[in-house]
Amino acid sequence: MLNYDLVVVGGGPAGMAAALQAKEEGVEKIVILERAETLGGILEQCIHTGFGLHYFGEELSGPEYAGRFIAEVEKTDIDVYTDTMVLDVSKDNVVTAVNNRDGLIQIKAIAVVLAMGCRERPRGALSIAGSRPAGVMTAGTAQKYVNIDGYMPGKKVVILGSGDIGLIMARRMTLEGAEVKVVCELMPYSGGLKRNIVQCLDDFGIPLRLSCTVIATHGKERLEGVTIANVDENLKPIPGTEQYIECDTLLLSVGLIPENELSNGVGIELDRVTGGPVVDEYRETLHKGIFACGNVLQVHDLVDYVTEESKIAGKGAANYIFGKKQDGTFINTKGVNGVRYIVPQRVNIENEEDVKLYFRVGQVYKGAKVVVECDGNILSSKKKVMLAPGEMENVKITPEMLKNMNKNSEITVRIEE
Amino acid sequence: MKKNLICVSCPLGCPIEVEIENGEILSVTGNTCKRGDKYARDELTNPVRSLTTTVKLIGGTLPVVPVKSSKPVPKDKMFQCMKLINEASINASVKIGDVVIKDILGSGADIVVTNNDNGK
């Protein structure tokens, strides 16, 4: 059995930032285990620009953003196992992995950082009638075909879901010569960034149909067309609004799900809303010595925030390894009145640093206030020009605020219109 | 003539209406800050976009390598740029910043590599 101070599961932006931060804090033996052939994670196929505006103050493409962290990792003595799949994390922090060079590997770790990212919601999770012809795939799969493997998966495309990956792929396929006929969005608003709607759809005259969904696929061997229909306020298709659209490809961009099979294996408690582990302000799960960060913890819209979050987890893991982790008094955070969830879900009130609470709202608000309250006291209240489900927000809790709390306190964040 | 735009300067996405007469901008309305005014004027006089795509890679570990325009290119030249890039190729190994096409279509923008590939 190998021995490491810290095992990081996943070598995407989250895993790399956590490992680098732990290294900077002085942790000696660190290993990153990565399933793909290279470090970088999903950024390798996100060739569009827009990454790094917050963290680096410039607009980078995905591979460039990842490249900066890969270069940093290579400068350190952090061990990297690529092409290596983690099978299990045990209750006593033994990580079991497999690759075709070493066979089965077992690593005893003092601390583990879970950074496995997320995956796309597949067709099976939607109720679309029809057989299973070729040409129906997630937007991310199409993105890999086009940007990594260098081939086009289709010529006439319909996209279901207006998340950012779907919008980005609408532009990408159009630039490469495909005809994107329509983007259908079930909700009455798009989950994608505004600038992506303008620059990926409007620029190319691609229609975005809100409150509309795909109800059937046609074709046996290869997709030949889809039937779309408008939906009512209960998101149910409205009879009589069906429309047939000829296409050979249907891309699905209908949500991301944190990949928590390993977390479940250890028995780590997950948050029902985020789909990721319940964590404290250092991103430690309820299992001692196991931390989580990046999209496995909560789905982010900006990689810059993934980096920020993962550095916190890396620091937390380092503190744990050095025995600095105090037990403390933990209280819960709770999103109410329009706030769908908060990460971290618990905060140590003996903490002496600022804590940022990240959250998402459930609908679009204009000119509403974000109010933070604890035990009947308003801690902060800030008016926001705009709040949207697609954009993660945060509020700051200072050590001074925490000092006035006790073990029965609860911090709530709510929206006031 | 009236033209409608959606400002992308911030997440608010103000709907902007611009009045144009003989190529001259008479008024910009609907924006809630001055960034919207600038966006609308730039967008109507010289709209530009960053272009990202891939280029054929010979002898690489992967068949293509991602590229971007070193600065935004005129919006109406995007498809012409794509045609040139799709006809081009580059030999491995390549690294971030390598130039594939210099000054594409006289736009002043270079097409540069955005990932490393050390070849097979």
Side-chain angles (χ1 to χ4, degrees), chain A residues 227-357:
Chain A
T227 302
I228 65 172
N230 296 339
V231 298
D232 61 22
E233 59 272 24
N234 299 318
L235 310 180
K236 295 275 174 281
I238 302 169
T241 63
E242 298 89 352
Q243 186 186 346
Y244 179 81
I245 297 180
E246 186 203 342
C247 62
D248 59 20
T249 305
L250 173 65
L251 300 188
L252 306 173
S253 177
V254 289
L256 299 167
I257 307 162
E259 206 168 329
N260 271 299
E261 282 72 15
L262 289 174
S263 323
N264 280 328
V266 200
I268 288 172
E269 186 188 325
L270 303 184
D271 182 314
R272 225 166 31 87
V273 182
T274 61
V278 171
V279 293
D280 67 19
E281 75 273 25
Y282 280 109
R283 309 302 186 263
E284 186 175 15
T285 66
L286 289 172
H287 185 97
K288 275 212 170 308
I290 299 186
F291 296 75
C293 56
N295 281 352
V296 79
L297 178 59
Q298 57 173 331
V299 175
H300 294 66
D301 30 79
L302 296 176
V303 69
D304 306 65
Y305 289 161
V306 169
T307 301
E308 204 173 282
E309 176 174 275
S310 305
K311 287 172 80 169
I312 296 170
K315 186 176 178 185
N319 284 348
Y320 179 84
I321 289 164
F322 296 134
K324 275 197 267 182
K325 179 83 168 89
Q326 68 282 43
D327 277 334
T329 307
F330 290 89
I331 62 162
N332 292 329
T333 62
K334 196 174 165 194
V336 291
N337 268 10
V339 174
R340 285 186 56 228
Y341 72 80
I342 295 173
V343 171
Q345 290 87 347
R346 53 206 298 267
V347 174
N348 182 355
I349 58 173
E350 289 159 33
N351 183 9
E352 286 168 355
E353 289 177 351
D354 285 346
V355 176
K356 272 190 192 168
L357 304 182

Side-chain angles (χ1 to χ4, degrees), chain A residues 92-282:
Chain A
D92 50 354
N93 296 2
V94 174
V95 178
T96 305
V98 66
N99 67 29
N100 60 12
R101 189 185 59 230
D102 310 294
L104 197 71
I105 316 163
Q106 287 203 301
I107 307 171
K108 174 83 184 128
I110 300 173
V112 176
V113 171
L114 301 175
M116 294 87 78
C118 60
R119 61 166 161 260
E120 295 175 281
R121 181 165 287 131
R123 176 182 179 168
L126 311 171
S127 26
I128 302 175
S131 55
R132 294 290 179 267
V136 182
M137 68 196 81
T138 63
T141 302
Q143 190 177 42
K144 179 176 184 294
Y145 287 150
V146 180
N147 294 345
I148 304 277
D149 302 329
Y151 68 84
M152 283 284 285
K155 293 192 176 81
K156 292 178 191 166
V157 186
V158 169
I159 300 177
L160 175 58
S162 62
D164 285 311
I165 314 172
L167 299 175
I168 293 284
M169 282 315 292
R171 173 175 64 185
R172 185 77 189 105
M173 301 279 285
T174 306
L175 282 174
E176 290 291 357
E179 182 195 353
V180 178
K181 297 199 155 180
V182 63
V183 176
C184 300
E185 169 60 55
L186 180 71
M187 304 303 288
Y189 54 83
S190 165
L193 299 171
K194 196 89 150 199
R195 71 171 202 169
N196 281 338
I197 294 172
V198 172
Q199 300 196 351
C200 298
L201 301 186
D202 298 353
D203 268 9
F204 302 100
I206 301 168
L208 170 62
R209 285 193 47 181
L210 300 173
S211 298
C212 176
T213 192
V214 172
I215 57 168
T217 63
H218 307 279
K220 199 154 179 255
E221 298 299 321
R222 176 79 200 194
L223 187 68
E224 289 163 9
V226 296
T227 302
I228 65 172
N230 296 339
V231 298
D232 61 22
E233 59 272 24
N234 299 318
L235 310 180
K236 295 275 174 281
I238 302 169
T241 63
E242 298 89 352
Q243 186 186 346
Y244 179 81
I245 297 180
E246 186 203 342
C247 62
D248 59 20
T249 305
L250 173 65
L251 300 188
L252 306 173
S253 177
V254 289
L256 299 167
I257 307 162
E259 206 168 329
N260 271 299
E261 282 72 15
L262 289 174
S263 323
N264 280 328
V266 200
I268 288 172
E269 186 188 325
L270 303 184
D271 182 314
R272 225 166 31 87
V273 182
T274 61
V278 171
V279 293
D280 67 19
E281 75 273 25
Y282 280 109

Side-chain angles (χ1 to χ4, degrees), chain B residues 6-25:
Chain B
I6 292 173
C7 179
V8 296
S9 305
C10 85
L12 197 56
C14 295
I16 301 181
E17 192 176 276
V18 187
E19 212 172 327
I20 323 167
E21 204 69 61
N22 302 325
E24 209 175 315
I25 294 170

